[in-house]
Amino acid sequence: MSVDTPRETHKFQAEINQLLNLVINSLYSHKEIFLRELVSNASDALDKLRFRSVTEPELMEGGAALEIHILPDEEKGTLTIEDTGIGMAHDELVKNLGTIAHSGSREFLELVSQRGQKDVNLIGQFGVGFYSAYLVADHVEVVSRAAGKDSKAWKWTSDAKGTFTVEPAERATRGTSIILHLKEEQKEFLGEWRLRSLITQYSDYVNHPIKLQVQKTTGEGEAQKTETQLEVVNKASALWQRPKSEITDEQYQEFYKHLSHDFEAPLAWTHFRTEGNQVFTGLLFVPKHPPFDLNSPQQRGVRLFVKRVLIMDRCEEMLPQWLRFVRGVVDSDDLPLNVSRELLQDSAVVKAIHKHVTKKTLDMLEKLAKDKPEDYRTFWQGFGTVLKEGLAVDTEYREKLGALVRYESSREEGLTSLADYVTRMKEGQEAIYYIFGESRKAVVGSPHLEALKKRGYEVLYMTDPVDEWAAQGLKEYQGKPLVSAMHADLKLKETEEEKREKEQRAKGLGPLAERMKEVLKEQVREVRVSDRLTDSPCCLVVPEGGSHAYVERLLRERGRGLPRTKRILEVNPSHPIIEHLKALQEKEPASEQVTEWVEMLYDQALLTEGSSVEDPNRFARRMTALMTQLAALKVPPAGAVASGPETPTSDAKPTEGSAVAAGPETPLPRN
Ligand code: ADP
Ligand code: MG
């Protein structure tokens, strides 16, 4: 390096270094995607220029056409990707090609190194596509000149060994040239046929002409001569503007891949043009699998074009947050080209587009569910949770979303739609019932389901935290209310006989009810006779307006202090334990054992709803003591005489007071 060259050396940020190491040493498949990434950057740079020139026409000065050139040079062993786009000034080169401008690099590293995903194909999705240049090159030069008067050109170089340099350079026009010094074994990427087919495969839908430098031989014999020409190799037209009938499925799929940097084909798409009030074209895709950052705020929106000019890469005003997984293009004829963020936010045109695009997306999903249930299941697994957010926040789409949701149910493993549930509803069943918990396993045996099971009613298993709010938002489907089996007001239709029986039972608890209230006065809001229990002694139900225990737990785990809703303890007076407790209470109103057993019953109710008991050690000690006592009854220690019933199981119904009277006297451990 000569002394008078003002060449600066910069260090790559640590994460970029890691990324580069990985790109160079670990990724072997699909190396050819470097071309897609660099062409995509060139195309972005041209789009940015076109967009900015709407308000700053002087940026177009110099007149160079908006094009991408691909220039192979056999002699030098270089491949150059050149554009006449927005270009980069000194600081932009340093920042964009040396530091973590995007959060994606960390996620990409984690995907490749920890999850062992060796496929480089995803790199573009993570916003680090530029570095894919090092898949095929060991030395890269970037010569760039920002658009605008008096701008200077700069050269960035690096062989990816920890540092890069920046120095002044010469460039006749605005734009960027990426010069790849290809590794010896990657020289295939200089071949015309190879380049041509890669461009058609990956970059056919780039909106700007991609010109490949080729050698053309003309003339015969003596007059024969070879000359260098630039030949347009892509279609360079907006796919969404072509008539549907002229577009093949493969073309739609490739366009999606180009747009999303996804390597998998989309699950579904819809392509439409509206006339009338708002003239716009939409082409929307549903991906097959969720992207790594599905829940990040940037993860939103489709590309907005105005009269073919790209205005915004991710325009969140086009779709609601809960459709953030949709990819695609909206091209409006009505918005002004110099549309600003503020204008987007309160433009009536945008609101109308938003509504229409949302509807079109939901229609597409409905069609997918109907025509391709398998694919819809894939969709639901990946995006169901996101879609359900819509029920919680947008009542406007309740009907349509109701038709799209899927749940596990008590009928059989697997998902069901609400429509199918409704067709299976029993004579006299007035509501759609659901239960809410961590997993199918956690809710399947819940006491809350007993009365419903007895009637043969199907129950939906809601196991996704968002379901709590989604079900509240949905409220009803086809006129049938959604009712939680865990809520207090489970109004089941009763026969006369059931009514009489219930009244009979309501009288049933006697003084035990008061005692239970006293013992649990800190824990529960109310103790009352249950009409939902048939096999279990008791359960906890959520009062009107309260949240399910599962949701409260989740919120607490996430540090969102939510006051614990005091729940209602429902008791089944015809259960043997309760009958015995009642007898004991009447016989010995001050019995300590009643207190202990009431506490144990409460602990059990906590466990069955998936909550944890307040004092697990005490609970375990008491269980052990009980089991020991029962074991002693069944198999008396040597010398002792058995005095209890033969098989003290819960459904044995001994005569009133007998088990208690015969039971051991030692109280269970108190603390
Ligand atoms: P992404 O394209 O997702 O932003 P990349 O790693 O591909 O991530 O590129 C990083 C950044 O470098 C781009 O955001 C852009 O600012 C800049 N850049 C890359 N190539 C060019 C180019 N040809 N012209 C102008 N800027 C470019
Ligand atoms: Mg890129």
mmCIF file of all heavy atoms in Angstrom, residues 505 508-513 516 527-530 533 535-539 569-586 594 597-598 600-602 604 650 653 656-657 660:
data_model
loop_
_atom_site.group_PDB
_atom_site.id
_atom_site.type_symbol
_atom_site.label_atom_id
_atom_site.label_comp_id
_atom_site.label_asym_id
_atom_site.label_seq_id
_atom_site.Cartn_x
_atom_site.Cartn_y
_atom_site.Cartn_z
ATOM 1 N N ARG A 505 -80.154 -32.062 45.847
ATOM 2 C CA ARG A 505 -78.730 -32.051 46.185
ATOM 3 C C ARG A 505 -78.319 -30.726 46.804
ATOM 4 O O ARG A 505 -77.461 -30.664 47.669
ATOM 5 C CB ARG A 505 -77.895 -32.313 44.934
ATOM 6 C CG ARG A 505 -77.852 -33.781 44.577
ATOM 7 C CD ARG A 505 -76.800 -34.024 43.562
ATOM 8 N NE ARG A 505 -77.114 -33.313 42.306
ATOM 9 C CZ ARG A 505 -76.216 -33.017 41.393
ATOM 10 N NH1 ARG A 505 -74.961 -33.318 41.597
ATOM 11 N NH2 ARG A 505 -76.568 -32.395 40.300
ATOM 12 N N GLY A 508 -78.285 -30.558 50.057
ATOM 13 C CA GLY A 508 -77.414 -31.624 50.516
ATOM 14 C C GLY A 508 -76.232 -31.282 51.406
ATOM 15 O O GLY A 508 -75.881 -32.058 52.271
ATOM 16 N N LEU A 509 -75.599 -30.157 51.197
ATOM 17 C CA LEU A 509 -74.336 -29.935 51.899
ATOM 18 C C LEU A 509 -74.498 -29.628 53.386
ATOM 19 O O LEU A 509 -73.611 -29.934 54.180
ATOM 20 C CB LEU A 509 -73.562 -28.797 51.237
ATOM 21 C CG LEU A 509 -72.813 -29.170 49.960
ATOM 22 C CD1 LEU A 509 -72.047 -27.971 49.459
ATOM 23 C CD2 LEU A 509 -71.878 -30.341 50.190
ATOM 24 N N GLY A 510 -75.614 -29.025 53.741
ATOM 25 C CA GLY A 510 -75.870 -28.735 55.155
ATOM 26 C C GLY A 510 -74.766 -27.900 55.772
ATOM 27 O O GLY A 510 -74.177 -27.043 55.102
ATOM 28 N N PRO A 511 -74.446 -28.152 57.006
ATOM 29 C CA PRO A 511 -73.443 -27.331 57.705
ATOM 30 C C PRO A 511 -72.046 -27.460 57.105
ATOM 31 O O PRO A 511 -71.185 -26.608 57.340
ATOM 32 C CB PRO A 511 -73.457 -27.852 59.139
ATOM 33 C CG PRO A 511 -74.223 -29.131 59.118
ATOM 34 C CD PRO A 511 -75.039 -29.181 57.883
ATOM 35 N N LEU A 512 -71.823 -28.512 56.290
ATOM 36 C CA LEU A 512 -70.492 -28.663 55.676
ATOM 37 C C LEU A 512 -70.162 -27.456 54.791
ATOM 38 O O LEU A 512 -69.018 -27.010 54.733
ATOM 39 C CB LEU A 512 -70.431 -29.960 54.855
ATOM 40 C CG LEU A 512 -69.090 -30.221 54.154
ATOM 41 C CD1 LEU A 512 -67.952 -30.374 55.162
ATOM 42 C CD2 LEU A 512 -69.172 -31.440 53.252
ATOM 43 N N ALA A 513 -71.209 -26.930 54.129
ATOM 44 C CA ALA A 513 -70.981 -25.784 53.246
ATOM 45 C C ALA A 513 -70.375 -24.624 54.030
ATOM 46 O O ALA A 513 -69.387 -24.008 53.593
ATOM 47 C CB ALA A 513 -72.291 -25.357 52.593
ATOM 48 N N MET A 516 -66.777 -25.393 54.922
ATOM 49 C CA MET A 516 -65.870 -25.266 53.777
ATOM 50 C C MET A 516 -65.573 -23.799 53.486
ATOM 51 O O MET A 516 -64.430 -23.414 53.220
ATOM 52 C CB MET A 516 -66.472 -25.932 52.539
ATOM 53 C CG MET A 516 -66.509 -27.439 52.638
ATOM 54 S SD MET A 516 -67.231 -28.169 51.150
ATOM 55 C CE MET A 516 -65.786 -28.905 50.410
ATOM 56 N N VAL A 527 -68.536 -21.182 47.826
ATOM 57 C CA VAL A 527 -68.620 -22.648 47.760
ATOM 58 C C VAL A 527 -70.054 -22.960 47.416
ATOM 59 O O VAL A 527 -70.976 -22.425 48.020
ATOM 60 C CB VAL A 527 -68.272 -23.290 49.122
ATOM 61 C CG1 VAL A 527 -68.500 -24.800 49.072
ATOM 62 C CG2 VAL A 527 -66.838 -22.983 49.517
ATOM 63 N N ARG A 528 -70.231 -23.795 46.404
ATOM 64 C CA ARG A 528 -71.622 -24.096 46.079
ATOM 65 C C ARG A 528 -71.771 -25.478 45.459
ATOM 66 O O ARG A 528 -70.793 -26.111 45.050
ATOM 67 C CB ARG A 528 -72.180 -23.031 45.147
ATOM 68 C CG ARG A 528 -71.575 -23.085 43.786
ATOM 69 C CD ARG A 528 -72.214 -22.022 42.931
ATOM 70 N NE ARG A 528 -71.845 -22.200 41.551
ATOM 71 C CZ ARG A 528 -71.813 -21.209 40.679
ATOM 72 N NH1 ARG A 528 -72.097 -19.980 41.051
ATOM 73 N NH2 ARG A 528 -71.495 -21.440 39.445
ATOM 74 N N VAL A 529 -73.029 -25.904 45.417
ATOM 75 C CA VAL A 529 -73.308 -27.223 44.887
ATOM 76 C C VAL A 529 -73.167 -27.190 43.367
ATOM 77 O O VAL A 529 -73.579 -26.248 42.714
ATOM 78 C CB VAL A 529 -74.729 -27.637 45.296
ATOM 79 C CG1 VAL A 529 -75.194 -28.822 44.475
ATOM 80 C CG2 VAL A 529 -74.752 -27.958 46.768
ATOM 81 N N SER A 530 -72.558 -28.234 42.846
ATOM 82 C CA SER A 530 -72.263 -28.260 41.416
ATOM 83 C C SER A 530 -73.312 -29.030 40.641
ATOM 84 O O SER A 530 -73.849 -30.022 41.121
ATOM 85 C CB SER A 530 -70.920 -28.942 41.201
ATOM 86 O OG SER A 530 -70.667 -29.050 39.837
ATOM 87 N N LEU A 533 -70.632 -31.814 38.016
ATOM 88 C CA LEU A 533 -69.794 -32.937 38.420
ATOM 89 C C LEU A 533 -70.608 -34.216 38.564
ATOM 90 O O LEU A 533 -71.708 -34.199 39.112
ATOM 91 C CB LEU A 533 -69.119 -32.621 39.759
ATOM 92 C CG LEU A 533 -68.158 -31.438 39.739
ATOM 93 C CD1 LEU A 533 -67.698 -31.100 41.143
ATOM 94 C CD2 LEU A 533 -66.969 -31.744 38.844
ATOM 95 N N ASP A 535 -68.479 -37.488 38.674
ATOM 96 C CA ASP A 535 -67.530 -38.444 39.249
ATOM 97 C C ASP A 535 -66.554 -37.836 40.238
ATOM 98 O O ASP A 535 -65.990 -38.536 41.058
ATOM 99 C CB ASP A 535 -66.709 -39.095 38.132
ATOM 100 C CG ASP A 535 -67.601 -39.761 37.106
ATOM 101 O OD1 ASP A 535 -68.678 -40.241 37.505
ATOM 102 O OD2 ASP A 535 -67.239 -39.768 35.919
ATOM 103 N N SER A 536 -66.320 -36.528 40.115
ATOM 104 C CA SER A 536 -65.313 -35.920 40.986
ATOM 105 C C SER A 536 -65.986 -35.237 42.160
ATOM 106 O O SER A 536 -67.132 -34.806 42.054
ATOM 107 C CB SER A 536 -64.510 -34.884 40.211
ATOM 108 O OG SER A 536 -63.952 -35.477 39.083
ATOM 109 N N PRO A 537 -65.265 -35.095 43.280
ATOM 110 C CA PRO A 537 -65.870 -34.455 44.452
ATOM 111 C C PRO A 537 -66.038 -32.945 44.295
ATOM 112 O O PRO A 537 -66.987 -32.375 44.814
ATOM 113 C CB PRO A 537 -64.896 -34.778 45.574
ATOM 114 C CG PRO A 537 -63.612 -35.132 44.908
ATOM 115 C CD PRO A 537 -63.959 -35.698 43.575
ATOM 116 N N CYS A 538 -65.096 -32.313 43.609
ATOM 117 C CA CYS A 538 -65.211 -30.863 43.493
ATOM 118 C C CYS A 538 -64.337 -30.335 42.363
ATOM 119 O O CYS A 538 -63.476 -31.044 41.840
ATOM 120 C CB CYS A 538 -64.817 -30.172 44.796
ATOM 121 S SG CYS A 538 -63.135 -30.522 45.279
ATOM 122 N N CYS A 539 -64.571 -29.091 41.968
ATOM 123 C CA CYS A 539 -63.699 -28.442 40.995
ATOM 124 C C CYS A 539 -63.816 -26.933 41.165
ATOM 125 O O CYS A 539 -64.732 -26.441 41.828
ATOM 126 C CB CYS A 539 -64.052 -28.852 39.564
ATOM 127 S SG CYS A 539 -65.631 -28.231 38.988
ATOM 128 N N LEU A 569 -65.627 -22.681 44.303
ATOM 129 C CA LEU A 569 -65.451 -24.116 44.492
ATOM 130 C C LEU A 569 -66.814 -24.782 44.356
ATOM 131 O O LEU A 569 -67.742 -24.500 45.108
ATOM 132 C CB LEU A 569 -64.858 -24.421 45.870
ATOM 133 C CG LEU A 569 -64.524 -25.906 46.081
ATOM 134 C CD1 LEU A 569 -63.294 -26.314 45.286
ATOM 135 C CD2 LEU A 569 -64.327 -26.232 47.554
ATOM 136 N N GLU A 570 -66.890 -25.634 43.359
ATOM 137 C CA GLU A 570 -68.143 -26.369 43.185
ATOM 138 C C GLU A 570 -67.990 -27.766 43.750
ATOM 139 O O GLU A 570 -67.009 -28.458 43.482
ATOM 140 C CB GLU A 570 -68.503 -26.449 41.697
ATOM 141 C CG GLU A 570 -69.081 -25.164 41.179
ATOM 142 C CD GLU A 570 -69.873 -25.354 39.893
ATOM 143 O OE1 GLU A 570 -69.950 -26.496 39.371
ATOM 144 O OE2 GLU A 570 -70.416 -24.348 39.410
ATOM 145 N N VAL A 571 -69.008 -28.166 44.517
ATOM 146 C CA VAL A 571 -68.906 -29.419 45.243
ATOM 147 C C VAL A 571 -70.008 -30.361 44.783
ATOM 148 O O VAL A 571 -71.125 -29.940 44.517
ATOM 149 C CB VAL A 571 -69.031 -29.141 46.757
ATOM 150 C CG1 VAL A 571 -68.928 -30.424 47.546
ATOM 151 C CG2 VAL A 571 -67.959 -28.162 47.183
ATOM 152 N N ASN A 572 -69.650 -31.610 44.688
ATOM 153 C CA ASN A 572 -70.598 -32.641 44.271
ATOM 154 C C ASN A 572 -71.105 -33.376 45.522
ATOM 155 O O ASN A 572 -70.422 -34.248 46.048
ATOM 156 C CB ASN A 572 -69.848 -33.590 43.329
ATOM 157 C CG ASN A 572 -70.643 -34.793 42.928
ATOM 158 O OD1 ASN A 572 -71.824 -34.923 43.284
ATOM 159 N ND2 ASN A 572 -70.005 -35.700 42.193
ATOM 160 N N PRO A 573 -72.312 -33.045 46.018
ATOM 161 C CA PRO A 573 -72.761 -33.563 47.313
ATOM 162 C C PRO A 573 -73.004 -35.071 47.294
ATOM 163 O O PRO A 573 -73.010 -35.693 48.350
ATOM 164 C CB PRO A 573 -74.066 -32.823 47.581
ATOM 165 C CG PRO A 573 -74.344 -32.004 46.401
ATOM 166 C CD PRO A 573 -73.310 -32.198 45.369
ATOM 167 N N SER A 574 -73.162 -35.648 46.100
ATOM 168 C CA SER A 574 -73.407 -37.086 46.125
ATOM 169 C C SER A 574 -72.132 -37.909 46.018
ATOM 170 O O SER A 574 -72.184 -39.131 45.944
ATOM 171 C CB SER A 574 -74.408 -37.474 45.044
ATOM 172 O OG SER A 574 -74.210 -36.704 43.894
ATOM 173 N N HIS A 575 -71.010 -37.240 46.019
ATOM 174 C CA HIS A 575 -69.764 -38.004 46.012
ATOM 175 C C HIS A 575 -69.503 -38.579 47.410
ATOM 176 O O HIS A 575 -69.711 -37.887 48.407
ATOM 177 C CB HIS A 575 -68.599 -37.093 45.601
ATOM 178 C CG HIS A 575 -67.364 -37.868 45.277
ATOM 179 N ND1 HIS A 575 -66.523 -38.324 46.250
ATOM 180 C CD2 HIS A 575 -66.852 -38.296 44.099
ATOM 181 C CE1 HIS A 575 -65.535 -38.996 45.680
ATOM 182 N NE2 HIS A 575 -65.721 -38.986 44.364
ATOM 183 N N PRO A 576 -69.056 -39.838 47.484
ATOM 184 C CA PRO A 576 -68.863 -40.469 48.806
ATOM 185 C C PRO A 576 -68.002 -39.647 49.762
ATOM 186 O O PRO A 576 -68.322 -39.550 50.945
ATOM 187 C CB PRO A 576 -68.178 -41.785 48.472
ATOM 188 C CG PRO A 576 -68.458 -42.041 47.040
ATOM 189 C CD PRO A 576 -68.781 -40.752 46.375
ATOM 190 N N ILE A 577 -66.931 -39.049 49.259
ATOM 191 C CA ILE A 577 -66.077 -38.270 50.174
ATOM 192 C C ILE A 577 -66.869 -37.145 50.805
ATOM 193 O O ILE A 577 -66.791 -36.894 52.008
ATOM 194 C CB ILE A 577 -64.882 -37.652 49.433
ATOM 195 C CG1 ILE A 577 -63.908 -38.741 49.027
ATOM 196 C CG2 ILE A 577 -64.185 -36.630 50.305
ATOM 197 C CD1 ILE A 577 -62.526 -38.243 48.797
ATOM 198 N N ILE A 578 -67.638 -36.466 49.963
ATOM 199 C CA ILE A 578 -68.401 -35.333 50.476
ATOM 200 C C ILE A 578 -69.466 -35.830 51.462
ATOM 201 O O ILE A 578 -69.684 -35.244 52.523
ATOM 202 C CB ILE A 578 -69.043 -34.540 49.311
ATOM 203 C CG1 ILE A 578 -67.965 -34.095 48.315
ATOM 204 C CG2 ILE A 578 -69.835 -33.349 49.834
ATOM 205 C CD1 ILE A 578 -66.966 -33.088 48.840
ATOM 206 N N GLU A 579 -70.081 -36.941 51.114
ATOM 207 C CA GLU A 579 -71.083 -37.497 52.033
ATOM 208 C C GLU A 579 -70.465 -37.812 53.388
ATOM 209 O O GLU A 579 -71.020 -37.509 54.435
ATOM 210 C CB GLU A 579 -71.701 -38.761 51.434
ATOM 211 C CG GLU A 579 -72.653 -38.441 50.290
ATOM 212 C CD GLU A 579 -73.335 -39.688 49.734
ATOM 213 O OE1 GLU A 579 -72.883 -40.803 50.060
ATOM 214 O OE2 GLU A 579 -74.309 -39.514 48.985
ATOM 215 N N HIS A 580 -69.292 -38.376 53.358
ATOM 216 C CA HIS A 580 -68.624 -38.719 54.618
ATOM 217 C C HIS A 580 -68.204 -37.487 55.388
ATOM 218 O O HIS A 580 -68.355 -37.417 56.609
ATOM 219 C CB HIS A 580 -67.422 -39.610 54.351
ATOM 220 C CG HIS A 580 -67.806 -41.008 54.024
ATOM 221 N ND1 HIS A 580 -67.463 -41.620 52.852
ATOM 222 C CD2 HIS A 580 -68.554 -41.890 54.712
ATOM 223 C CE1 HIS A 580 -67.989 -42.832 52.824
ATOM 224 N NE2 HIS A 580 -68.657 -43.023 53.947
ATOM 225 N N LEU A 581 -67.703 -36.529 54.647
ATOM 226 C CA LEU A 581 -67.294 -35.290 55.323
ATOM 227 C C LEU A 581 -68.489 -34.638 56.008
ATOM 228 O O LEU A 581 -68.395 -34.135 57.126
ATOM 229 C CB LEU A 581 -66.720 -34.315 54.299
ATOM 230 C CG LEU A 581 -65.207 -34.332 54.122
ATOM 231 C CD1 LEU A 581 -64.811 -33.289 53.097
ATOM 232 C CD2 LEU A 581 -64.514 -34.049 55.453
ATOM 233 N N LYS A 582 -69.582 -34.675 55.294
ATOM 234 C CA LYS A 582 -70.808 -34.073 55.825
ATOM 235 C C LYS A 582 -71.213 -34.771 57.124
ATOM 236 O O LYS A 582 -71.517 -34.133 58.142
ATOM 237 C CB LYS A 582 -71.918 -34.228 54.773
ATOM 238 C CG LYS A 582 -73.071 -33.317 54.980
ATOM 239 C CD LYS A 582 -74.142 -33.587 53.928
ATOM 240 C CE LYS A 582 -75.454 -33.815 54.631
ATOM 241 N NZ LYS A 582 -76.391 -34.608 53.874
ATOM 242 N N ALA A 583 -71.146 -36.080 57.082
ATOM 243 C CA ALA A 583 -71.500 -36.857 58.267
ATOM 244 C C ALA A 583 -70.554 -36.527 59.419
ATOM 245 O O ALA A 583 -70.977 -36.313 60.567
ATOM 246 C CB ALA A 583 -71.453 -38.341 57.950
ATOM 247 N N LEU A 584 -69.303 -36.453 59.120
ATOM 248 C CA LEU A 584 -68.306 -36.172 60.161
ATOM 249 C C LEU A 584 -68.526 -34.783 60.747
ATOM 250 O O LEU A 584 -68.466 -34.571 61.967
ATOM 251 C CB LEU A 584 -66.896 -36.280 59.565
ATOM 252 C CG LEU A 584 -65.729 -36.046 60.517
ATOM 253 C CD1 LEU A 584 -65.762 -37.021 61.690
ATOM 254 C CD2 LEU A 584 -64.398 -36.158 59.795
ATOM 255 N N GLN A 585 -68.814 -33.827 59.859
ATOM 256 C CA GLN A 585 -69.055 -32.457 60.301
ATOM 257 C C GLN A 585 -70.247 -32.399 61.262
ATOM 258 O O GLN A 585 -70.224 -31.702 62.265
ATOM 259 C CB GLN A 585 -69.309 -31.576 59.070
ATOM 260 C CG GLN A 585 -69.802 -30.177 59.366
ATOM 261 C CD GLN A 585 -68.734 -29.338 60.051
ATOM 262 O OE1 GLN A 585 -67.546 -29.543 59.852
ATOM 263 N NE2 GLN A 585 -69.172 -28.412 60.898
ATOM 264 N N GLU A 586 -71.291 -33.160 60.911
ATOM 265 C CA GLU A 586 -72.471 -33.136 61.760
ATOM 266 C C GLU A 586 -72.197 -33.803 63.102
ATOM 267 O O GLU A 586 -72.634 -33.336 64.147
ATOM 268 C CB GLU A 586 -73.652 -33.808 61.040
ATOM 269 C CG GLU A 586 -74.352 -32.817 60.128
ATOM 270 C CD GLU A 586 -75.164 -33.485 59.029
ATOM 271 O OE1 GLU A 586 -75.466 -34.694 59.146
ATOM 272 O OE2 GLU A 586 -75.480 -32.788 58.044
ATOM 273 N N VAL A 594 -61.941 -32.532 59.254
ATOM 274 C CA VAL A 594 -62.735 -31.895 58.208
ATOM 275 C C VAL A 594 -61.911 -30.782 57.561
ATOM 276 O O VAL A 594 -61.819 -30.672 56.342
ATOM 277 C CB VAL A 594 -64.068 -31.360 58.763
ATOM 278 C CG1 VAL A 594 -64.812 -30.575 57.694
ATOM 279 C CG2 VAL A 594 -64.925 -32.494 59.282
ATOM 280 N N TRP A 597 -59.259 -32.286 55.298
ATOM 281 C CA TRP A 597 -59.755 -32.880 54.059
ATOM 282 C C TRP A 597 -60.306 -31.819 53.103
ATOM 283 O O TRP A 597 -60.174 -31.949 51.895
ATOM 284 C CB TRP A 597 -60.790 -33.981 54.383
ATOM 285 C CG TRP A 597 -60.107 -35.203 54.964
ATOM 286 C CD1 TRP A 597 -58.792 -35.305 55.275
ATOM 287 C CD2 TRP A 597 -60.699 -36.448 55.290
ATOM 288 N NE1 TRP A 597 -58.502 -36.537 55.792
ATOM 289 C CE2 TRP A 597 -59.680 -37.269 55.813
ATOM 290 C CE3 TRP A 597 -61.996 -36.957 55.224
ATOM 291 C CZ2 TRP A 597 -59.905 -38.575 56.241
ATOM 292 C CZ3 TRP A 597 -62.216 -38.262 55.645
ATOM 293 C CH2 TRP A 597 -61.184 -39.068 56.151
ATOM 294 N N VAL A 598 -60.892 -30.822 53.642
ATOM 295 C CA VAL A 598 -61.364 -29.733 52.779
ATOM 296 C C VAL A 598 -60.165 -29.093 52.072
ATOM 297 O O VAL A 598 -60.189 -28.820 50.871
ATOM 298 C CB VAL A 598 -62.165 -28.694 53.587
ATOM 299 C CG1 VAL A 598 -62.380 -27.418 52.777
ATOM 300 C CG2 VAL A 598 -63.497 -29.280 54.021
ATOM 301 N N MET A 600 -57.370 -30.529 51.435
ATOM 302 C CA MET A 600 -56.866 -31.482 50.434
ATOM 303 C C MET A 600 -57.730 -31.491 49.178
ATOM 304 O O MET A 600 -57.229 -31.613 48.058
ATOM 305 C CB MET A 600 -56.819 -32.894 51.018
ATOM 306 C CG MET A 600 -55.585 -33.120 51.848
ATOM 307 S SD MET A 600 -55.451 -34.846 52.290
ATOM 308 C CE MET A 600 -54.594 -35.503 50.879
ATOM 309 N N LEU A 601 -59.033 -31.396 49.380
ATOM 310 C CA LEU A 601 -59.924 -31.365 48.216
ATOM 311 C C LEU A 601 -59.661 -30.127 47.368
ATOM 312 O O LEU A 601 -59.643 -30.176 46.137
ATOM 313 C CB LEU A 601 -61.388 -31.391 48.669
ATOM 314 C CG LEU A 601 -61.888 -32.745 49.161
ATOM 315 C CD1 LEU A 601 -63.260 -32.599 49.805
ATOM 316 C CD2 LEU A 601 -61.948 -33.740 48.002
ATOM 317 N N TYR A 602 -59.431 -29.036 48.062
ATOM 318 C CA TYR A 602 -59.122 -27.793 47.333
ATOM 319 C C TYR A 602 -57.823 -27.951 46.543
ATOM 320 O O TYR A 602 -57.726 -27.565 45.377
ATOM 321 C CB TYR A 602 -59.029 -26.628 48.316
ATOM 322 C CG TYR A 602 -58.545 -25.353 47.674
ATOM 323 C CD1 TYR A 602 -59.356 -24.655 46.781
ATOM 324 C CD2 TYR A 602 -57.272 -24.851 47.942
ATOM 325 C CE1 TYR A 602 -58.911 -23.496 46.167
ATOM 326 C CE2 TYR A 602 -56.819 -23.689 47.338
ATOM 327 C CZ TYR A 602 -57.639 -23.011 46.455
ATOM 328 O OH TYR A 602 -57.207 -21.864 45.840
ATOM 329 N N GLN A 604 -56.577 -30.649 45.393
ATOM 330 C CA GLN A 604 -56.844 -31.513 44.231
ATOM 331 C C GLN A 604 -57.506 -30.729 43.105
ATOM 332 O O GLN A 604 -57.196 -30.918 41.930
ATOM 333 C CB GLN A 604 -57.776 -32.652 44.627
ATOM 334 C CG GLN A 604 -57.075 -33.740 45.376
ATOM 335 C CD GLN A 604 -58.038 -34.897 45.650
ATOM 336 O OE1 GLN A 604 -59.009 -35.075 44.928
ATOM 337 N NE2 GLN A 604 -57.749 -35.642 46.693
ATOM 338 N N SER A 650 -63.266 -45.068 46.150
ATOM 339 C CA SER A 650 -64.170 -43.920 46.222
ATOM 340 C C SER A 650 -65.595 -44.269 45.831
ATOM 341 O O SER A 650 -66.529 -43.644 46.265
ATOM 342 C CB SER A 650 -63.657 -42.803 45.315
ATOM 343 O OG SER A 650 -63.851 -43.188 43.977
ATOM 344 N N LYS A 653 -69.817 -47.347 48.542
ATOM 345 C CA LYS A 653 -70.668 -46.430 49.305
ATOM 346 C C LYS A 653 -71.013 -47.038 50.673
ATOM 347 O O LYS A 653 -72.066 -47.663 50.835
ATOM 348 C CB LYS A 653 -71.959 -46.141 48.536
ATOM 349 C CG LYS A 653 -71.839 -44.984 47.589
ATOM 350 C CD LYS A 653 -73.203 -44.408 47.316
ATOM 351 C CE LYS A 653 -73.107 -43.178 46.422
ATOM 352 N NZ LYS A 653 -74.416 -42.554 46.269
ATOM 353 N N GLU A 656 -73.720 -44.462 56.103
ATOM 354 C CA GLU A 656 -73.341 -43.145 56.611
ATOM 355 C C GLU A 656 -72.436 -43.230 57.840
ATOM 356 O O GLU A 656 -72.731 -43.897 58.815
ATOM 357 C CB GLU A 656 -74.583 -42.339 56.977
ATOM 358 C CG GLU A 656 -74.268 -40.875 57.133
ATOM 359 C CD GLU A 656 -75.534 -40.062 57.255
ATOM 360 O OE1 GLU A 656 -76.287 -39.985 56.268
ATOM 361 O OE2 GLU A 656 -75.748 -39.541 58.347
ATOM 362 N N GLY A 657 -71.344 -42.562 57.752
ATOM 363 C CA GLY A 657 -70.476 -42.450 58.917
ATOM 364 C C GLY A 657 -69.589 -43.656 59.176
ATOM 365 O O GLY A 657 -68.669 -43.566 59.959
ATOM 366 N N VAL A 660 -65.833 -43.184 58.434
ATOM 367 C CA VAL A 660 -65.275 -42.214 59.360
ATOM 368 C C VAL A 660 -65.119 -42.836 60.736
ATOM 369 O O VAL A 660 -64.061 -42.765 61.350
ATOM 370 C CB VAL A 660 -66.192 -40.971 59.440
ATOM 371 C CG1 VAL A 660 -65.718 -40.042 60.536
ATOM 372 C CG2 VAL A 660 -66.223 -40.284 58.100
#
